[in-house]
Amino acid sequence: MTPEERDRHRKGPITLRGDQRPARTTDQRLLEESGPGDWVHADPWRVLRIQSEFVEGFGALAELGPAVSIFGSARLGPDHPFYACAVEIAKGVVELGYAVITGGGPGIMEAGNRGAQEAGGVSVGLGIELPHEQGMNEYVDLGVDFRYFFARKTMFVKYSSGFVVMPGGFGTFDELFEALCLMQTHKIDMFPVVLVGRAYWQGLLDWLNSAVLDGGTINVGDVELLRVVDTAEEALDVLREAAHR
């Protein structure tokens, strides 16, 4: 990231630099527990801004067609094996007739967009305002920037026919469990959720199949919402199977 990119802050469609950079993100201000009494007057306007994010997102993606979202760590760069795997998965997703959606940032997100672009498919990035700017990677053809995480997550779920989840951190877990919760509660139709990297995910699966399942807080069928693979081709096989079904 260049010094200019580090100095840049995005708030939805707005870019701020230098003294114009805010100390807190839009999400922080929305969710803060206490604040000045003018929130009574400010929140109605905030609702309109939230509404505008949904309108812009729906407008940008309405004609996208079937798509698969690829998630994973922003910290795994081009020299990492999972980066190369994500590129191959994205290329295969395009060959299956899908667009590719990522969070638009670096690492695995960049790999997904790169694979889609190199395969001649539609490469989508859904960016988010963060305290430490990531910026939209160079392989995004259609990019939408969001202030609010919940608006962005709605776009991933609404426009995806499947999730491919590479190794990642809290952000990746958030997207993963959002989808699982919505399917478990029948808020959305079932779609494939593919975890790539058995060694990385095995600890989570062991915990779900022991403490969580044995504790009676989920059912056996809930764990079966997840498919675990090790290679790009295996991940694509799961997507092919789901498309035929």
Side-chain angles (χ1 to χ4, degrees), residues 8 72 129 135 142 245:
R8 184 179 62 195
E129 174 194 1
L142 170 58
R245 188 170 62 245

Side-chain angles (χ1 to χ4, degrees), residues 161-242:
S161 299
F163 278 13
V164 174
V165 188
M166 309 292 294
F170 288 164
T172 301
F173 304 156
D174 183 40
E175 300 291 356
L176 168 62
F177 282 100
E178 172 90 3
L180 293 177
C181 178
L182 291 171
M183 286 192 288
Q184 180 204 49
T185 55
H186 301 285
K187 288 292 187 181
I188 61 173
D189 293 333
M190 300 295 177
F191 61 63
V193 177
V194 188
L195 304 183
V196 182
R198 188 176 298 275
Y200 184 85
W201 295 108
Q202 193 61 53
L204 172 64
L205 295 171
D206 291 343
W207 176 68
L208 290 174
N209 279 299
S210 57
V212 184
L213 184 59
D214 292 346
T217 54
I218 61 172
N219 296 322
V220 174
D222 297 333
V223 183
E224 293 174 351
L225 294 172
L226 295 164
R227 296 287 297 273
V228 190
V229 302
D230 276 319
T231 67
E233 189 56 36
E234 288 175 327
L236 293 169
D237 282 343
V238 175
L239 297 177
R240 289 189 193 100
E241 176 188 325

Side-chain angles (χ1 to χ4, degrees), residues 87-167:
V87 170
E88 291 307 308
I89 291 172
K91 289 180 178 179
V93 165
V94 170
E95 291 171 2
L96 290 174
Y98 295 95
V100 172
I101 305 175
T102 80
I108 297 299
M109 294 174 280
E110 176 185 290
N113 291 127
R114 178 176 180 175
Q117 191 181 85
E118 290 180 354
V122 180
S123 173
V124 180
L126 306 181
I128 187 68
E129 174 194 1
L130 295 172
H132 305 289
E133 188 66 29
Q134 289 184 325
M136 201 73 77
N137 71 67
E138 62 181 306
Y139 300 102
V140 171
D141 296 321
L142 170 58
V144 185
D145 287 321
F146 292 88
R147 292 182 175 93
Y148 300 103
F149 265 114
F150 57 83
R152 179 185 186 233
K153 288 201 292 184
T154 299
M155 302 303 152
F156 278 121
V157 173
K158 178 173 174 57
Y159 293 103
S160 294
S161 299
F163 278 13
V164 174
V165 188
M166 309 292 294

